[in-house]
Amino acid sequence: MPVTSIGVDTVTALLATADALFVEDLDDGNPLTPAGRARGATYALRIALEVAVDAALTAEQSELHAISMRAKLLCLRHYAGPSLARRINALWSRLSEGCKYHHDELGPRHAQVQVWRGEVETLVAELAAARVVGAFPQQAGTAGD
């Protein structure tokens, strides 16, 4: 389905963007600070996770593309199961908090963003695998039971 392939390409590009933000020699005279790079990478990771969730849900129910991400995360419980949905929701919440700037708080550290990057990659793969093997209740034929 086109939505899924666009989602995969977009997720891959966003993960690459997050990685690129930690390369020391981006450009001479680059104004990004280490904290700015970490926050930018966190944004890229959150958007990658959102794209994966959106692609998975839209493939199941096209009407779901118009709802908020919080609502999509609630719907994901039905389509991907409670365990995977809970892990995705928890990571999305941590990434969202890491994206926010508060003048009296430190932003996410490089090591934390690297952990989040691995978690995003893992959860995106698990979400895609759940769809492929028919673990989504709609595909397995258990929705009408």
Side-chain angles (χ1 to χ4, degrees):
M1 196 168 242
V3 172
T4 305
S5 66
I6 290 171
V8 170
D9 294 343
T10 304
V11 168
T12 302
L14 287 163
L15 291 175
T17 298
D19 292 340
L21 283 167
F22 287 116
V23 175
E24 291 299 320
D25 300 324
L26 288 173
D27 281 330
D28 290 331
N30 188 343
L32 288 177
T33 64
R37 289 179 185 190
R39 187 163 278 115
T42 302
Y43 268 109
L45 294 173
R46 186 182 80 179
I47 295 167
L49 190 60
E50 290 174 353
V51 166
V53 168
D54 194 48
L57 290 178
T58 303
E60 294 299 317
Q61 296 286 330
S62 63
E63 309 85 44
L64 294 177
H65 74 82
I67 62 176
S68 71
M69 183 51 60
R70 287 247 182 234
K72 287 176 185 176
L73 292 171
L74 290 172
C75 292
L76 191 60
R77 183 178 180 87
H78 171 72
Y79 291 102
S83 177
L84 181 57
R86 185 176 18 257
R87 291 171 47 222
I88 290 172
N89 191 4
L91 179 57
W92 183 83
S93 294
R94 289 191 308 265
L95 291 169
S96 293
E97 188 61 34
C99 291
K100 295 177 182 168
Y101 173 79
H102 300 285
H103 70 281
D104 59 345
E105 294 180 10
L106 294 174
R109 299 269 189 221
H110 175 86
Q112 182 60 58
V113 177
Q114 290 297 95
V115 169
W116 288 340
R117 194 233 181 265
E119 290 177 9
V120 167
E121 193 169 32
T122 299
L123 291 175
V124 165
E126 286 181 31
L127 188 59
R131 287 196 56 237
V132 168
V133 298
F136 279 19
Q138 292 283 325
Q139 291 178 340
T142 60
D145 293 350

